[in-house]
Amino acid sequence: MGKSRWKTWTLRGVGALLALVLLAILAAWLFLRASLAQLDGERRVDGLSAEVRVERDADGVPVISGASRQDVAYATGFVHGQERFFQMDLLRRTAAGELAELFGPKALPPDRSNRLHRFRARAEATLARLPANERALLERYAQGVNDGIEALGARPFEYALTGAAPRPWTAPDSLLVVWAMYIDLQGAQQARELARGWLREHSDDAQLAFLLPEATAFDATLDKGKAPASGPLPPQAPAWWGAAPTVPGAPVRLAGLDVTDSVGSNNYALAGSRSSTGAAIVADDMHLGLRLPNIWYRLVLRFPDPAAPGGQRRLAGVSLPGAPPSVIVGSNGQVAWAFTNSYADSLDLVELQRDPARPGQVRLPGGWETPREHVESIAVKGAAPERMVVQETSLGPIRTVAQRSYAVRWIAHDPAALNMNHLKLESVANVEDALRAAASDGIPAQNFVAGDVHGNIGWTIAGLLPRRAGDPQAATPAASFPFAPDSAASTWAGVLPYADHPRIVNPGDGQITTANSRQLMGGGHALLGDGGYDLGQRNRQLHEGLLAMGARLDVRQAFDAALDDRAILVGDWRQRALGVLDAQALEGHPQRAEFRRLLEGSWSGRASVESVGYRLARDFMWAVHDLLYGRVNAALKEIDPKASAAAASTRWQAVAARLLDQQPQAWLPAGHASWRALQLAAVDRAIAALQDARIPLAEASWGQRNTADIAHPISMAVPALRPWLAAPGEPLAGDAHMPRVAGPNFGQSERLTVSPGREEEGLYNMPGGQSGHPLSPFFLRDHAAWVEGKPTPLLPGPVQHTLRFVP
């Protein structure tokens, strides 16, 4: 009887525990459900001039229609707030240096780095300078965001996990989101300058000119210029040249695994003479870090505009949740436009001199001065606030690196760095108007490409550019290194007038392409400088690929140009590996024989997921890099974790290829009997890296390496939730140095192709989906089409949900 009673109570206890678990799961599910966006119904709102409608299709893409621009801004804020608030919060906190308030001490390093720039104070000052109508638009958008959050049945789930409450959105927050893009798109220039400064101090002038070329044969510029002929090889290599010392027992890792090929974005335009309809075609795929939700939010905005055909403006494209409410890339019905990062030189490091006889002062090229001090308090979850003193000179805040102090002279600090001039693109009627409007856009300097209904196309730089002092031909190389306190060269003086921004209109071949590489070979290049241009192969491949597609392309053909994954660059390195893997090299080396067999037999000529040959050829290329640059990379990481030879110059492949072609004995790294022996050592290193990772050569496909790792950022804080907060780990075709850029969590954040006035024919896809909520049907709705490269219509489909806002 006692045993029976014990068994009964045990079963009851297990049942009760199971019931509690089920109740907890149900409560969590109900809580999550309560924070889903409202898709249907009616809401009364103070301050509306008339009814606003948000009509979503089956993919969650809204058409937002209203009687005024401010009404539409309100509804856009409401939608963004309900679907993407946590993403918006991270962007403003990134720029302001306020992440530790959510995530604790582990977020202090990026907070310290970004708080140095005091962007929140700059946002408040910028807002005060804006015209009243622009401030009102930002405030109306902010009100929509906050009403959207208040209308949820529960706070967004991320805040339940972090234990924080959503902080209300404000108008300055929208400006901070734009500064977050400055950090993302230009922040790496600091590490680049530090790396180049180290190389200058440890190399002579001839070595430096060879190792850091200003242009190569890979460049295909808009002005059709040719790179200058290469000079003779320097008579000797610098002392740091060669591989890093080996650490006994340490696994072999290639720099290609640690150095992210994160220079990316393509845009291009075809003139009416090259399109099947006579209207221009504009395409854009911006390459950024990938996570859930995607950075972009697709929408259509409709509102009255006397300048629009029929008096009604329709904007179709992508918005950036949190940023001033508009279409970032898309079409206004008369003009379509697109962006890629320009990599113009927008940042200088100016080394400071200190003297014990002048306490509290620093010497800049213009003389001695006393920096102003600003005390910043960084809130830290679970700890006391951290006090940070920012010292600011006339050239910018002071950063100390490796016992040296620098003034960070960054165009992002200029009072004109941000404005609301992007709104001008909503009503431009032709390419000429678009180029004028874009030049004054308050964004990080971008390659702006546009096309209009009449078939015209054009390019310029959108965003603020520094005006370099002195000889414009000499300014570019000098500005890409840190300035010394007694330097004869000087940093920029003011900003370049918008009317002086270089431009190209209606080129003879009827096409414009940009892909983050050098845009110009002529004098206009000196106006831009070099802030870390890409090698140039990607743009050349895009440019030549479009030419090869023929004279009259439709939107689908233009869209497919962004999916070009031909392995032209890596194919050259494959030929080099095959050239040294001859019978003599294979004798007694079965792994080398297998390497050669796979280079030949598992090669598609593309960065295709099944190709083993592509991965091995790519690994061989990076193994050569390690044997040439390994020692300097180790030294540079002591200065800045992001500093490297590849950061100093993305053109290292061209340098290495020239050495392998000419094989100068003076540049052969120590430990190798010949350049052939070095290349065989690179093959062996590539093999060893795979062996140490326990990957058999025959299974080392590109897809096995290039597998999607795209997840919601909260999964890093709560890894147990990753299965519900991540996209499928699918193999991805594509890589760097080809139009179809793809990495595990970096690549084409959207693909958009459209002819202005023919938006119904426009095509689009993006990773993830419209919503940041894992229970939303829109969370991953777009993802499969993006992985497969299958376009979907740019415009929303039939209306499935309608939300009305009434006065």
Side-chain angles (χ1 to χ4, degrees):
M1 190 71 177
K3 288 184 179 180
S4 175
R5 185 177 296 128
W6 178 86
K7 182 177 181 181
T8 299
W9 281 107
T10 299
L11 291 174
R12 287 177 179 175
V14 170
L17 181 61
L18 181 60
L20 287 174
V21 170
L22 292 174
L23 283 172
I25 293 172
L26 177 62
W29 184 82
L30 290 173
F31 178 83
L32 283 173
R33 290 279 303 171
S35 60
L36 282 168
Q38 181 179 353
L39 305 181
D40 297 283
E42 179 179 298
R43 301 192 64 85
R44 294 199 170 275
V45 178
D46 291 336
L48 291 181
S49 64
E51 178 183 284
V52 184
R53 298 173 71 91
V54 177
E55 298 170 309
R56 287 178 169 93
D57 70 356
D59 295 329
V61 181
V63 177
I64 303 176
S65 306
S68 75
R69 190 65 186 84
Q70 285 203 17
D71 289 353
V72 169
Y74 172 87
T76 303
F78 189 96
V79 169
H80 281 169
Q82 289 209 327
E83 299 276 24
R84 299 291 193 87
F85 186 80
F86 189 69
Q87 169 195 354
M88 297 160 58
D89 194 16
L90 292 187
L91 286 171
R92 67 174 169 179
R93 287 177 180 274
T94 294
E98 297 169 352
L99 291 169
E101 187 177 7
L102 277 183
F103 300 112
K106 62 185 176 183
L108 278 172
D111 275 0
R112 294 179 188 124
S113 176
N114 294 334
R115 187 66 70 93
L116 181 74
H117 306 288
R118 302 180 61 249
F119 283 134
R120 182 166 288 285
R122 298 181 195 278
E124 297 282 357
T126 298
L127 182 69
R129 289 191 296 268
L130 291 179
N133 63 317
E134 294 178 356
R135 288 200 307 272
L137 191 73
L138 290 179
E139 288 163 358
R140 199 65 182 141
Y141 173 78
Q143 185 61 52
V145 173
N146 293 327
D147 285 357
I149 292 296
E150 288 294 322
L152 294 174
R155 59 183 170 172
F157 75 94
E158 298 94 340
Y159 296 94
L161 295 171
T162 60
R167 182 199 298 168
W169 196 260
T170 66
D173 291 335
S174 290
L175 303 179
L176 284 170
V177 169
V178 182
W179 265 303
M181 298 309 295
Y182 267 100
I183 292 169
D184 193 12
L185 299 175
Q186 296 181 355
Q189 291 187 25
Q190 290 190 57
R192 180 176 186 270
E193 290 221 354
L194 290 169
R196 291 169 73 87
W198 190 98
L199 291 175
R200 181 176 60 185
E201 292 179 354
H202 295 83
S203 313
D204 63 34
D205 290 346
Q207 293 165 347
L208 203 65
F210 169 63
L211 292 165
L212 304 178
E214 292 294 319
T216 72
F218 287 104
D219 289 303
T221 57
L222 292 169
D223 58 1
K224 309 297 189 290
K226 291 186 178 181
S230 301
L233 284 172
Q236 64 181 18
W240 53 261
W241 186 245
T246 58
V247 179
V252 175
R253 284 182 59 85
L254 304 180
L257 297 176
D258 298 321
V259 178
T260 304
D261 287 313
S262 57
V263 176
S265 290
N266 308 313
N267 67 8
Y268 45 103
L270 297 172
S273 60
R274 295 286 308 283
S275 80
S276 60
T277 66
I281 300 175
V282 174
D284 187 67
D285 53 289
M286 296 178 280
H287 308 163
L288 296 166
L290 303 179
R291 60 186 183 185
L292 299 178
N294 185 35
I295 188 171
W296 309 115
Y297 185 86
R298 182 162 49 128
L299 45 62
V300 173
L301 305 179
R302 297 181 58 185
F303 50 88
D305 180 356
Q312 187 76 9
R313 181 66 66 187
R314 181 179 70 174
L315 305 173
V318 298
S319 62
L320 173 58
S326 187
V327 166
I328 304 298
V329 165
S331 175
N332 70 7
Q334 295 169 287
V335 176
W337 64 89
F339 292 112
T340 67
N341 196 15
S342 70
Y343 284 89
D345 187 0
S346 300
L347 184 149
D348 289 342
L349 295 180
V350 182
E351 188 173 354
L352 307 176
Q353 182 178 332
R354 297 182 187 270
D355 186 343
R358 293 175 174 266
Q361 290 193 310
V362 294
R363 183 189 175 200
L364 286 81
W368 290 90
E369 65 176 64
T370 302
R372 290 169 292 153
E373 290 193 348
H374 306 276
V375 177
E376 297 284 322
S377 179
I378 303 177
V380 183
K381 178 185 175 183
E386 179 171 292
R387 184 177 184 270
M388 177 177 175
V389 177
V390 176
Q391 289 188 306
E392 191 155 9
T393 72
S394 58
L395 296 182
I398 297 175
R399 179 188 175 189
T400 301
V401 183
Q403 299 182 328
R404 293 185 177 186
S405 294
Y406 300 91
V408 181
R409 176 86 157 132
W410 189 8
I411 201 71
H413 300 151
D414 193 279
L418 263 69
N419 57 44
M420 298 279 283
N421 287 347
H422 189 82
L423 296 172
K424 294 180 179 179
L425 293 174
E426 296 183 351
S427 58
V428 294
N430 53 60
V431 161
E432 284 290 339
D433 291 346
L435 296 181
R436 279 192 294 271
S440 69
D441 202 346
I443 57 175
Q446 299 287 293
N447 290 307
F448 176 84
V449 167
D452 63 27
V453 293
H454 308 294
N456 301 301
I457 59 174
W459 163 87
T460 192
I461 296 296
L464 209 60
L465 290 171
R467 182 177 60 195
R468 299 286 177 184
D471 179 3
Q473 298 300 324
T476 299
S480 64
F481 298 92
F483 288 91
D486 55 355
S487 173
S490 62
T491 184
W492 71 79
V495 298
L496 189 70
Y498 298 132
D500 292 347
H501 286 207
R503 54 160 51 190
I504 300 285
V505 178
N506 290 332
D509 57 10
Q511 68 178 47
I512 291 173
T513 65
T514 82
N516 313 114
S517 53
R518 180 167 172 161
Q519 304 95 334
L520 303 167
M521 284 293 174
H525 172 65
L527 300 175
L528 307 181
D530 184 349
Y533 290 129
D534 193 23
L535 173 66
Q537 170 58 35
R538 177 161 48 90
N539 187 54
R540 176 171 291 280
Q541 190 164 324
L542 179 62
H543 175 81
E544 294 176 352
L546 282 168
L547 285 176
M549 292 174 77
R552 293 285 183 176
L553 305 185
D554 60 25
V555 168
R556 176 58 193 266
Q557 289 171 304
F559 180 93
D560 287 345
L563 300 175
D564 179 4
D565 59 3
R566 289 174 297 146
I568 295 174
L569 176 71
V570 171
D572 291 342
W573 285 90
R574 170 178 173 268
Q575 289 301 124
R576 293 182 187 281
L578 289 172
V580 298
L581 288 171
D582 53 19
Q584 180 183 355
L586 303 185
E587 185 176 356
H589 294 278
Q591 290 289 331
R592 289 182 183 175
E594 177 75 348
F595 196 95
R596 180 183 177 98
R597 183 185 71 80
L598 292 167
L599 281 178
E600 292 179 316
S602 183
W603 174 258
S604 63
R606 298 179 176 273
S608 50
V609 297
E610 75 284 351
S611 176
V612 176
Y614 177 82
R615 180 175 180 179
L616 297 185
R618 184 186 191 273
D619 284 359
F620 167 73
M621 176 182 76
W622 278 104
V624 169
H625 168 277
D626 292 353
L627 297 179
L628 300 180
Y629 295 98
R631 186 176 300 167
V632 68
N633 281 337
L636 292 175
K637 284 193 178 299
E638 295 297 317
I639 301 172
D640 187 302
K642 296 181 181 179
S644 66
S649 176
T650 58
R651 301 182 177 102
W652 70 265
Q653 290 100 332
V655 172
R658 186 178 176 194
L659 290 173
L660 294 180
D661 289 341
Q662 299 186 17
Q663 302 194 0
Q665 188 66 28
W667 281 78
L668 181 66
H672 304 282
S674 66
W675 284 98
R676 167 187 161 85
L678 179 139
Q679 291 176 83
L680 287 174
V683 170
D684 294 340
R685 181 175 176 82
I687 292 170
L690 289 170
Q691 288 177 331
D692 287 351
R694 302 184 183 279
I695 302 172
L697 286 182
E699 297 176 16
S701 67
W702 178 236
Q704 191 275 336
R705 157 72 170 80
N706 202 41
T707 300
D709 182 21
I710 304 171
H712 193 292
I714 207 70
S715 66
M716 293 185 288
V718 190
L721 295 178
R722 185 178 176 84
W724 295 277
L725 295 175
E730 297 169 291
L732 301 175
D735 191 14
H737 305 304
M738 58 187 64
R740 189 171 189 168
V741 169
N745 49 28
F746 182 89
Q748 294 172 317
S749 63
E750 47 76 47
R751 304 181 186 113
L752 185 156
T753 307
V754 64
S755 279
R758 307 176 70 91
E759 287 76 20
E760 284 75 11
E761 301 169 7
L763 299 174
Y764 182 83
N765 63 33
M766 73 178 190
Q770 289 286 97
S771 176
H773 198 299
L775 293 186
S776 170
F778 315 132
F779 183 56
L780 289 172
R781 183 63 63 90
D782 299 309
H783 194 74
W786 175 80
V787 171
E788 296 169 13
K790 293 181 178 179
T792 56
L794 171 64
L795 295 183
V799 176
Q800 301 293 315
H801 305 279
T802 301
L803 177 62
R804 298 170 59 242
F805 300 92
V806 297

